[in-house]
Amino acid sequence: MSQSNTWSAWINRWLFSTNAKDIAILYFIFSLFGGVLGSVFSLVMRLELAAPGEQILLGDHQLYNVLVSAHSVLMVFFLIMPLTAGFFGNYLLPLMLGAPDVSFARVNNIAFWLYPPALTLLIASALIDEGPGTGWTVYPPLSGIQSHGGASIDLVIFALHITSISSILSSINFLTTVLNMRTLGMTMTKLPLFVWSIIFTASLLLITLPVLTAGITLLLLDRNFNTAFYEPAGGGDPILYQHLYWFFGHPEVYILILPVFGIISHVISNYAKKPIFGKLGMVYAMGSIGFLGLLVWSHHMYIVGLDVDTRAYFTSATMVIAIPTGIKIFSWLATLYGGSIRFTTPMLYAIAFLFIFTIGGCSGVLLSNANLDVAFHDTYFVVGHFHYVLSLGVVYGVFAGYYYWSPMMTGLYYNPTIANIQFWMMFIGTNITFLPMHFLGLNGMPRRIPDYPDAFTGFNALSSLGAVMSVGALLLFAYVIYDQLMNGLTNKNLSTNALWKNPDFFESNDIFNSNQIKSSSLEFLLTYPPMYHTFNTLPIQS
Amino acid sequence: MLRQTLKLAKPTRLFSTSVIARNSVKTPKKFKTAKNLSEVHSEYDLIGTGAQKGEVPTDLEQATGLERLELLGKLEGVDIFEQKPLDTSRKGTMQNPILIDSYEKYRYIGCTGSPAGSHIVMWLKPTVGKPARCWECGSVYKINYLGKD
């Protein structure tokens, strides 16, 4: 393709792009928009909650709920999904497979360009009428026509429709690519763990998104065409919506975390200088987590009146997920054990991920218990739990991935000192934000309220302080990217993250010095940044 | 209105490139299906014959294009797309390295030792003039350049 600087060449490359690496960059830029919006909304929420009484929203409690809805949908659908599957998946999956591109390159383009209209619809939903004050779950009857009369909810539904179409197209694309475009000799058991994580993510998306789409389409019909799927007066049942929603909603959290599992495996293996411990076990653990994730949705609905046997089943099934998750944590620790560990920025994030994700996992086991959940349901304990696994767990994984692969992707290096400071700010800030939420929840503070009794003041103030620190860390991250783009080559000399600085422990100095171009992962052998078209002659492996 | 519009529409599917290709002057109206590799002169010789009436087609009857070329090659024992994995029958040495065909002056090699799967994959990049040595099992790989210059 022509690389000239003409306007049409630019449009051809970036608007009509069929190159997975370029589309990945577009996903990254797009997700920055989603991330900034979602973070600003969360900051506004925390400022409102910084003290009892009305703070900055002037007593508009519907507006607070709109912020909650927008924050959650933005973070899940417009930050993490485009980042993990869209950015990392599109960039790394073909490179790790030794494939020149994804299987359906033009479908890839459509999948990306469905996102901007979806974001427009979502933002529009918050700006017109009274906005959607429903949270990301959009439960009827709150989301019904009597409670939300305007077009806001309809726009949210359309936004979710469009992102669903996009994700389904991407998933089909990734699965076909993995099944058909692995390079010579690369059997499924030899696939890198990140590729396996994308396989399970794409499978979960394909299985669950049609159910979500059906659920919200029935809601759309209830709202606009006088049907009564969720309306008891017409013989419907709002609990049906909850089942349909959570059949998607619970696997969705695994869709968010599975690619991060893949990223963390690569980072830990590289900076511990050891192959990942029990690689096949890791693959089966990811598969088990994905499969079990499809069978536990009603643990989000313990207090809707499920009978005791149902609750017993969902409690047990949910607790079983701790087993494959434990296998993964164990294997990561076993990889670290005895390794030649280098505490680079991505490694700091990866180790922090292990710590944080274990805490989030343990609070998850508490919540999986139907008896305890009667007390915990809809309290800040739940908010604390899922932010530990998502806002800390997934986001740390994404940061680890960015710091790990961005020098390869751009050919430009970040300043490791500033990046390490950014890590510590983020680590301290997010923990100060979300740890107190557990105590607030245990003391009975409910979710999704803009005001609270004075008794909750202390922990809320602390949490809001942490939120401000976290936003500071995000601003510093923006500077890290700026510095990387402007001074990337100078930073290379400062970098402690050069991948092959010293010989592996099973390698003689002689072999190391005569042959530094090598890697246990294919993408690091390419030029930095990789060529527009990689692999003219396909790689070959045994 | 819609019905009238449908009547006016040409009986070809919108956006269908296959229709454009079929109506093109260059496209022959009859195809001669190649029976073996030596009969293949252009892509038009790679159109499958299709199933016999009332029967389910076999792969060879159905396949068209590159897939047919691959099947014709297989019938004659020719690996058209060179899909064999890396040679792991022995360990390459500096004196007697494993030769790797390449149309470029380098190739990415994923060594898993001899026999295959003896260690995790280690990616190497031998170039013309500089063989690469696996830093786990020591096997040496050298480029056999197939390009013109």
Side-chain angles (χ1 to χ4, degrees):
Chain A
M1 188 197 127
S2 159
Q3 295 290 320
S4 67
N5 287 327
T6 61
W7 180 236
S8 64
W10 189 88
I11 289 181
N12 239 340
R13 175 156 186 196
W14 294 107
L15 262 59
F16 304 152
S17 181
T18 50
N19 183 307
K21 291 187 280 293
D22 283 353
I23 293 174
I25 300 296
L26 290 173
Y27 269 115
F28 181 73
I29 295 168
F30 177 81
S31 62
L32 287 184
F33 275 95
V36 166
L37 283 168
S39 304
V40 168
F41 287 163
S42 70
L43 182 67
V44 174
M45 279 147 56
R46 271 326 314 172
L47 292 179
E48 172 62 32
L49 291 171
E54 294 167 13
Q55 298 301 319
I56 62 171
L57 296 181
L58 308 174
D60 188 346
H61 294 180
Q62 169 70 9
L63 177 58
Y64 180 84
N65 285 338
V66 171
L67 290 176
V68 171
S69 314
H71 166 71
S72 53
V73 176
L74 281 167
M75 289 305 197
V76 169
F77 292 98
F78 295 93
L79 172 70
I80 298 301
M81 285 174 74
L83 257 187
T84 52
F87 171 57
F88 287 113
N90 268 308
Y91 209 106
L92 297 171
L93 189 105
L95 297 188
M96 288 179 173
L97 294 177
D101 209 299
V102 288
S103 207
F104 306 120
R106 282 180 278 188
V107 169
N108 206 14
N109 177 287
I110 297 170
F112 171 74
W113 284 108
L114 284 171
Y115 264 103
L119 181 62
T120 311
L121 288 174
L122 186 80
I123 301 299
S125 80
L127 296 179
I128 64 170
D129 295 320
E130 75 275 29
T134 59
W136 79 307
T137 50
V138 203
Y139 276 173
L142 179 58
S143 60
I145 198 74
Q146 281 101 344
S147 306
H148 276 84
S152 291
I153 297 288
D154 299 322
L155 290 178
V156 172
I157 291 172
F158 287 142
L160 292 180
H161 276 151
I162 293 177
T163 55
S164 299
I165 294 170
S166 167
S167 297
I168 287 174
L169 292 176
S170 293
S171 304
I172 294 171
N173 210 347
F174 284 141
L175 287 176
T176 316
T177 306
V178 174
L179 294 177
N180 287 338
M181 293 182 69
R182 301 187 312 276
T183 197
L184 312 177
M186 188 180 280
T187 54
M188 292 297 273
T189 49
K190 289 172 186 165
L191 288 179
L193 281 172
F194 179 74
V195 175
W196 269 113
S197 72
I198 292 290
I199 292 175
F200 292 124
T201 305
S203 310
L204 285 180
L205 280 167
L206 274 182
I207 293 167
T208 60
L209 276 175
V211 180
L212 169 77
T213 309
I216 57 177
T217 306
L218 299 185
L219 180 62
L220 192 74
L221 297 177
D222 271 13
R223 286 175 51 81
N224 296 292
F225 298 101
N226 291 327
T227 57
F229 294 105
Y230 307 131
E231 173 56 61
D237 185 0
I239 304 301
L240 168 66
Y241 177 86
Q242 298 195 15
H243 281 295
L244 292 176
Y245 182 83
W246 284 114
F247 184 76
F248 153 79
H250 190 75
E252 172 67 16
V253 298
Y254 295 110
I255 288 162
L256 302 179
I257 197 74
L258 280 173
V260 168
F261 285 168
I263 292 172
I264 294 295
S265 296
H266 282 249
V267 173
I268 285 185
S269 164
N270 197 5
Y271 290 119
K273 282 211 165 175
K274 279 173 71 184
I276 203 79
F277 179 90
K279 184 185 165 191
L280 202 57
M282 291 293 243
V283 174
Y284 278 108
M286 278 193 284
S288 310
I289 291 171
F291 176 69
L292 290 169
L294 292 166
L295 308 176
V296 296
W297 71 92
S298 289
H299 66 209
H300 297 267
M301 306 159 48
Y302 281 142
I303 58 161
V304 301
L306 301 174
D307 70 65
V308 70
D309 289 343
T310 311
R311 277 178 289 157
Y313 160 72
F314 280 105
T315 297
S316 322
T318 307
M319 287 179 175
V320 169
I321 298 185
I323 296 169
T325 314
I327 290 173
K328 293 200 73 68
I329 298 284
F330 175 82
S331 298
W332 284 319
L333 291 176
T335 309
L336 288 171
Y337 181 76
S340 169
I341 299 175
R342 275 181 297 158
F343 291 101
T344 57
T345 316
M347 188 62 158
L348 290 176
Y349 268 111
I351 293 172
F353 168 87
L354 293 185
F355 171 61
I356 291 301
F357 192 76
T358 306
I359 295 177
C362 288
S363 58
V365 174
L366 294 184
L367 286 169
S368 72
N369 189 316
N371 297 338
L372 291 176
D373 191 65
V374 172
F376 289 146
H377 191 94
D378 263 343
T379 69
Y380 255 83
F381 190 85
V382 178
V383 182
H385 156 71
F386 71 72
H387 279 92
Y388 256 72
V389 284
L390 297 181
S391 179
L392 280 69
V394 173
V395 171
Y396 283 14
V398 167
F399 272 120
Y402 178 83
Y403 283 122
Y404 183 53
W405 278 298
S406 71
M408 181 276 286
M409 291 168 174
T410 58
L412 300 168
Y413 290 71
Y414 52 86
N415 183 323
T417 312
I418 303 177
N420 283 355
I421 294 171
Q422 195 269 340
F423 163 75
W424 284 110
M425 275 181 74
M426 191 77 190
F427 185 75
I428 296 168
T430 46
N431 275 294
I432 292 180
T433 311
F434 298 113
L435 191 64
M437 288 185 182
H438 292 90
F439 307 127
L440 286 170
L442 288 172
N443 284 309
M445 178 168 158
R447 304 168 67 175
R448 294 178 179 168
I449 53 154
D451 197 4
Y452 48 83
D454 291 351
F456 300 131
T457 305
F459 280 135
N460 268 304
L462 197 59
S463 183
S464 296
L465 175 74
V468 174
M469 283 183 74
S470 309
V471 170
L474 294 180
L475 292 175
L476 189 60
F477 181 62
Y479 178 75
V480 169
I481 296 180
Y482 168 80
D483 180 63
Q484 187 175 5
L485 296 178
M486 300 305 287
N487 310 315
L489 294 176
T490 328
N491 287 342
K492 188 175 181 179
N493 302 324
L494 305 172
S495 181
T496 53
N497 297 351
L499 287 159
W500 307 284
K501 260 222 148 139
N502 35 27
D504 274 340
F505 49 69
F506 41 67
E507 179 182 40
S508 75
N509 287 341
D510 211 24
I511 293 179
F512 175 74
N513 288 329
S514 66
N515 181 24
Q516 293 195 34
I517 307 168
K518 57 192 168 43
S519 167
S520 53
S521 201
L522 179 52
E523 75 277 12
F524 282 116
L525 265 196
L526 308 174
T527 51
Y528 295 5
M531 303 287 278
Y532 185 78
H533 183 93
T534 41
F535 308 129
N536 287 319
T537 305
L538 291 180
I540 184 168
Q541 81 164 84
S542 51
Chain B
M1 181 67 185
L2 178 65
R3 202 175 294 166
Q4 285 168 345
T5 314
L6 288 176
K7 274 182 189 167
L8 287 173
K10 287 184 180 175
T12 51
R13 282 179 298 156
L14 275 177
F15 306 123
S16 172
T17 51
S18 60
V19 171
I20 297 168
R22 193 173 66 215
N23 295 340
S24 157
V25 189
K26 276 194 252 169
T27 311
K29 299 303 165 203
K30 279 196 170 180
F31 299 105
K32 183 177 76 64
T33 303
K35 296 279 187 297
N36 53 51
L37 280 182
S38 61
E39 290 179 13
V40 178
H41 301 294
S42 74
E43 67 266 37
Y44 300 116
D45 300 333
L46 290 170
I47 310 292
T49 53
Q52 304 297 319
K53 198 173 179 187
E55 287 181 14
V56 176
T58 62
D59 278 1
L60 190 61
E61 286 169 339
Q62 183 83 344
T64 290
L66 293 178
E67 190 187 351
R68 186 166 194 82
L69 187 66
E70 187 186 336
L71 291 180
L72 289 176
K74 274 185 180 167
L75 285 174
E76 298 178 25
V78 180
D79 185 9
I80 296 278
F81 296 113
E82 295 169 2
Q83 289 172 309
K84 285 202 190 81
L86 188 62
D87 176 18
T88 53
S89 57
R90 64 189 177 86
K91 194 181 282 185
T93 60
M94 282 308 218
Q95 282 74 36
N96 188 15
I98 289 171
L99 289 178
I100 307 292
D101 291 344
S102 178
Y103 296 95
E104 287 174 297
K105 295 194 171 172
Y106 65 90
R107 192 160 183 188
Y108 300 110
I109 306 294
C111 177
T112 62
S114 173
S118 299
H119 58 74
I120 64 159
V121 62
M122 303 292 183
W123 288 97
L124 308 163
K125 186 184 179 184
T127 53
V128 171
K130 187 165 186 196
R133 182 165 207 168
C134 174
W135 77 109
E136 172 118 0
C137 68
S139 188
V140 181
Y141 300 92
K142 189 179 174 187
I143 290 294
N144 177 31
Y145 183 52
L146 302 175
K148 283 179 182 166
D149 54 307

